[in-house]
């Protein structure tokens, strides 16, 4: 009998189970390696943790106001509730706990996909690509962002739960509506769960459930938009440039998984994502070409659409498309086309890919040969995304450590003032999550005296470029030993101020990793945004954290920041 690769795979389920477990282990390793109890990116965590003071002694109406206060145009009830629960039980809120809960929400989405897949009664091999797609790390910002992790991953879980119940358990209307409400008060686009869930009920012939969903949506919207004040400018339809960028941004948002890296993208790579988005949309239309007549009859109430798997997958794509349209409409004027490619948006491109694949399984009968290629392709894509984003995730962890350092030791730091808070408020909120201060260990950053150095370590270059002070060390790897807080940080210190800059390290090309078994390239760079530096004469120091211990080196260099 001739050897059949597909036959071999389908007969060996144990191998499929192994391949289902591996992406979860890889994701868990990535999380464990980089997660840290530190305010991550800007000060969103600090702003939302501000719900804790005053909540315990407040009346019910005041508590509702604290829970539902807009930030900036979202009512983050779910995130605030989790924070208050953890603080009430443990007396503190470790930000890693928030990350763990958020990533459990992400993992539960994978369970929902499996529940939908199981209805197709296919061999487990067909599910392998779903897990390798879903547990990629391109949206690493959401993995490590504490409060925002809860918002972004929580809303996906609640929306998927509502759609799953509507598609597969239409008699469970009340739980589906509860999930829609939870999604609405988790993140702004969660309100679209009502629209998509309602569409599922209509197409499946459950018209009474549709009208109940519609009525509930109107009631919830009336509550949601009380005292709602938009703060972002919307696309001007009369401006051809904004409309063009909006359309390109819509497609790029859907196809952004094609960029591999979440940041540092050239315009050419962004337009590659636009092309990928167009391909994804056309692929979905091609897959559903024979479903159009059936869907049309369902819309006209002539006969219900009975393919539950195809309906669930189509609903996911509808939700993703609505999110992309809303984001382009609201963000293009301020963030421009490039703003559609933020790392925290990348999960929606992954969501589209998973939905497209589940739709393929639901509407196509001849799957075996194509699935044979999709399995290795999904594994390869996951690993390439990991390689492309691991360095950025490490750099962001170090940037978060530095951000807290600069906020703690510079009362007039611009980073605090931009978020309309003072240092005292920052320290008060920080006391709730009790982060460590690794860069301050072994010396006194607030002392007006010069730092006592271990020895001298001269930089290879100190330069000014594009409003930044850049310091480079080209010939040392500065390999982390204990964890990824280890690294070479650059300090600017005067009698009144001390600023730190994180070490930026780049990944070597993938072929170098495969050939030589290395990941980080030689050398580091550190940069200070001059707008955040107060005028004065600064000594430049190098703080090398190795195996959890700090050593400070003089560089013999100074920087004079002028008015």
């Amino acid at each position: 009998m001739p050897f059949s690769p597909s036959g071999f795979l389908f007969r060996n389920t144990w191998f499929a189970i192994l391949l289902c477990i591996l992406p979860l282990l890889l994701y868990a390793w990535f999380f464990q390696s980089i997660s840290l109890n530190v305010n991550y990116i800007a000060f969103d965590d600090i702003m939302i943790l501000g719900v804790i003071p005053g909540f315990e002694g407040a009346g019910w109406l005041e508590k509702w106001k604290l829970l539902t206060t807009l930030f900036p145009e979202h009512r983050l009830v779910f995130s605030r509730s989790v924070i208050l629960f953890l603080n009430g039980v443990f007396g503190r809120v470790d930000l890693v706990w928030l990350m763990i809960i958020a990533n459990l929400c992400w993992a539960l989405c994978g369970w929902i996909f499996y529940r939908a897949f199981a209805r197709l009664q296919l061999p487990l091999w067909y599910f392998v690509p779903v897990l390798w797609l879903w547990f990629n790390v391109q949206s690493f910002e959401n993995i490590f962002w504490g409060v925002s992790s809860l918002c972004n991953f929580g809303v996906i879980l609640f929306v998927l739960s509502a759609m799953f119940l509507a598609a597969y358990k239409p008699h469970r209307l009340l739980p589906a509506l509860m999930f829609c409400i939870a999604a609405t008060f988790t993140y702004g686009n969660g309100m679209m769960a009502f629209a998509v869930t309602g569409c599922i009920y209509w197409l499946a012939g459950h018209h009474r459930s549709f009208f109940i969903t519609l009525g509930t949506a109107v009631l919830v919207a009336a509550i949601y938009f009380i005292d709602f004040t938009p703060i972002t400018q919307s696309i001007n339809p009369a401006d051809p440039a904004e409309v063009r960028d909006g359309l390109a941004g819509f497609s790029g948002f859907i196809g952004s998984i094609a960029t591999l890296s979440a940041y540092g993208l050239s315009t050419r790579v962004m337009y590659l994502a636009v092309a990928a988005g167009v391909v994804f949309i056309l692929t979905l239309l091609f897959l559903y070409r024979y479903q159009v007549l059936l869907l049309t009859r369902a819309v006209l109430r002539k006969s219900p659409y009975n393919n539950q798997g195809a309906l669930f997958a189509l609903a996911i794509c509808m939700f993703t498309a609505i999110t992309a349209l809303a984001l382009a409409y609201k963000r293009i004027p301020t963030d421009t086309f490039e703003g559609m490619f933020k790392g925290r948006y990348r999960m929606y491109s992954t969501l589209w890919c998973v939905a497209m694949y589940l739709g393929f399984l639901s509407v196509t009968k001849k799957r075996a040969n194509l699935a044979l290629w999709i399995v290795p392709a999904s594994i390869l894509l996951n690993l390439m995304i990991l390689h492309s984003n691991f360095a950025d995730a490490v750099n962001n962890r170090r940037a978060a450590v530095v951000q807290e350092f600069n906020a703690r030791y510079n009362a007039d730091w611009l980073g605090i003032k931009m978020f309309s808070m003072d240092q005292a408020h920052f320290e008060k909120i920080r006391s709730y999550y009790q982060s460590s201060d690794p860069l301050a260990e072994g010396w006194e950053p607030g002392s007006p005296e010069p730092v006592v150095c271990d020895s001298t370590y001269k930089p290879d270059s100190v330069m000014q470029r594009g409003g930044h002070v850049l310091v480079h060390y080209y010939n040392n790897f500065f390999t982390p030993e204990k964890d990824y807080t280890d690294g070479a940080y650059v300090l600017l210190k005067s009698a009144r101020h001390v600023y730190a800059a994180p070490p930026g390290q780049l990944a070597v090309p993938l072929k170098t990793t495969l050939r030589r078994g290395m990941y980080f390239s030689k050398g580091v760079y550190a940069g200070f945004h001059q707008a955040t530096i107060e005028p004065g004469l600064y000594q430049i120091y190098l703080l090398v954290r190795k195996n959890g211990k700090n050593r400070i080196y003089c560089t013999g260099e100074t920087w004079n920041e002028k008015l």
Side-chain angles (χ1 to χ4, degrees):
M1 177 181 292
F3 175 74
S4 170
S6 58
F8 171 79
L9 294 177
F10 294 149
R11 286 193 301 270
N12 291 274
T13 305
W14 65 268
F15 195 24
I17 294 173
L18 176 63
L19 287 181
C20 285
I21 293 173
L22 284 178
L24 278 70
L25 295 178
L26 202 59
Y27 189 93
W29 166 80
F30 179 76
F31 178 84
Q32 184 276 330
S33 298
I34 298 175
S35 60
L36 186 67
N37 180 33
V38 63
N39 173 68
Y40 185 83
I41 303 179
F43 284 93
D44 288 14
D45 287 343
I46 300 297
M47 300 294 285
I48 305 305
L49 285 166
V51 72
I52 298 175
F55 189 86
E56 184 175 344
W60 286 107
L61 181 59
E62 186 61 28
K63 286 181 177 180
W64 172 251
K65 290 181 179 179
L66 288 170
L67 280 173
T68 59
T69 298
L70 288 167
F71 182 84
E73 295 180 342
H74 311 282
R75 299 196 186 275
L76 310 181
V77 176
F78 172 63
S79 298
R80 291 180 174 123
S81 298
V82 171
I83 288 168
L84 291 168
F85 172 77
L86 292 175
N87 186 68
V89 173
F90 300 104
R92 58 186 290 259
V93 184
D94 192 307
L95 297 180
V96 175
W97 299 345
L98 303 182
M99 299 175 206
I100 291 172
I101 294 171
N103 283 277
L104 286 175
C105 289
W106 190 251
L108 286 172
C109 293
W111 172 247
I112 292 173
F113 292 140
Y114 177 74
R115 293 287 302 278
F117 168 81
R119 298 297 184 99
L120 298 173
Q121 298 183 327
L122 294 171
L124 186 62
W125 272 102
Y126 287 106
F127 188 65
V128 171
V130 173
L131 293 180
W132 283 95
L133 284 170
W134 192 242
F135 288 97
N136 78 71
V137 299
Q138 194 179 39
S139 187
F140 63 84
E141 276 186 353
N142 289 327
I143 298 174
F144 304 116
W145 202 345
V147 172
S148 290
S149 302
L150 288 171
C151 302
N152 287 294
F153 286 171
V155 72
I156 296 295
L157 173 63
F158 296 140
V159 170
L160 286 177
S161 298
M163 291 191 295
F164 178 84
L165 289 174
Y168 293 99
K169 299 177 182 292
H171 60 283
R172 301 189 64 183
L173 175 61
L174 180 60
L177 293 177
M178 295 302 293
F179 279 122
C180 289
I181 295 171
T184 300
F185 289 95
T186 297
Y187 215 55
N189 65 323
M191 187 175 292
M192 296 303 105
F194 283 107
V196 178
T197 301
C199 285
I200 293 174
Y201 283 132
W202 184 271
L203 293 172
H206 305 287
H207 302 113
R208 179 173 174 272
S209 295
F210 167 81
F211 286 110
I212 294 174
T213 302
L214 179 62
T216 307
V218 171
L219 178 61
V220 171
I223 297 171
Y224 190 93
F225 289 107
I226 291 175
D227 74 7
F228 184 87
T229 304
I231 63 171
T232 55
Q233 184 181 356
S234 302
I235 277 183
N236 179 8
D239 187 337
E242 284 192 4
V243 173
R244 180 198 64 219
D245 286 349
L247 292 173
F250 169 79
S251 295
F253 180 92
I254 291 173
S256 59
I257 195 171
T259 66
L260 300 182
S261 296
Y263 285 105
L265 307 177
S266 65
T267 302
R268 180 184 64 81
V269 172
M270 291 181 192
Y271 276 99
L272 172 65
V274 173
V278 172
V279 171
F280 288 176
I281 294 169
L282 293 177
T283 299
L284 184 73
L285 294 175
F286 177 78
L287 288 173
Y288 280 75
R289 66 195 184 280
Y290 297 129
Q291 309 298 310
V292 173
L293 180 60
L294 297 174
L295 290 167
T296 302
R297 290 179 61 83
V299 170
L300 299 176
R301 299 182 62 178
K302 292 185 176 180
S303 61
Y305 185 75
N306 295 319
N307 189 331
Q308 294 174 318
L311 191 56
F312 178 61
L314 182 61
I316 295 174
C317 290
M318 289 170 59
F319 174 73
T320 305
I322 293 171
T323 299
L325 281 171
L327 193 69
Y329 179 72
K330 295 290 290 183
R331 290 294 185 182
I332 286 294
T334 51
D335 290 348
T336 70
F337 167 70
E338 289 77 9
M340 297 294 290
F341 293 89
K342 292 179 180 178
R344 58 185 175 274
Y345 300 156
R346 299 309 180 88
M347 60 183 182
Y348 288 101
S349 185
T350 297
L351 188 60
W352 183 285
C353 290
V354 170
M356 190 165 55
Y357 177 69
L358 290 176
F360 158 72
L361 295 181
S362 300
V363 302
T364 307
K365 299 301 181 185
K366 297 179 180 179
R367 321 178 181 95
N369 291 332
L370 188 56
L372 196 63
W373 292 100
I374 293 177
V375 170
S378 64
I379 295 173
L380 181 62
L381 178 62
N382 180 294
L383 296 178
M384 290 175 68
I385 288 174
L386 176 63
H387 180 274
S388 300
N389 291 280
F390 188 82
D392 284 340
V394 170
N395 289 339
N396 275 16
R397 168 179 164 139
R398 293 165 173 167
V401 170
V402 160
Q403 178 179 257
E404 286 208 349
F405 178 91
N406 290 335
R408 295 204 71 197
Y409 298 103
N410 300 280
D412 55 358
W413 189 51
L414 181 62
I416 293 179
K417 292 189 288 186
M418 285 175 62
F419 283 80
S420 303
M421 72 174 80
D422 56 25
Q423 192 180 57
H425 179 74
F426 168 76
E427 288 291 356
K428 180 179 181 180
I429 301 302
R430 182 176 166 272
S431 68
Y432 293 115
Y433 63 94
Q434 301 174 17
S435 63
S436 60
D437 195 1
L439 300 188
E441 294 172 3
W443 64 297
E444 294 293 335
S447 171
E449 301 301 321
V451 178
V452 177
C453 301
D454 282 19
S455 60
T456 300
Y457 202 139
K458 292 187 69 65
D460 293 300
S461 71
V462 178
M463 67 180 74
Q464 180 183 15
R465 180 186 298 167
H468 290 77
V469 181
L470 302 177
V471 181
H472 288 89
Y473 286 86
Y474 297 122
N475 299 311
N476 197 313
F477 283 100
F478 297 106
T479 305
E481 294 184 3
K482 181 181 179 182
D483 54 41
Y484 284 105
T485 304
D486 283 0
Y489 300 79
V490 176
L491 305 174
L492 292 182
K493 190 173 189 321
S494 68
R496 296 181 59 244
H497 294 91
V498 56
Y499 303 101
Q505 288 188 281
L506 302 175
V508 298
L510 179 59
K511 62 181 181 181
T512 304
T513 298
L514 295 175
R515 188 176 68 250
R516 300 180 59 183
M518 60 185 292
Y519 180 75
F520 286 108
S521 62
K522 182 184 292 187
V524 299
Y525 63 91
F528 298 86
H529 196 297
Q530 288 180 266
T532 66
I533 303 172
E534 292 297 313
L537 180 63
Y538 293 86
Q539 299 292 323
I540 300 177
Y541 299 95
L542 180 69
L543 185 155
V544 177
R545 184 171 178 84
K546 190 171 185 179
N547 197 25
K549 304 292 183 181
N550 295 335
R551 296 185 66 183
I552 300 179
Y553 299 90
C554 291
T555 65
E557 300 283 350
T558 61
W559 181 262
N560 187 13
E561 184 63 29
K562 301 177 181 179
L563 283 170

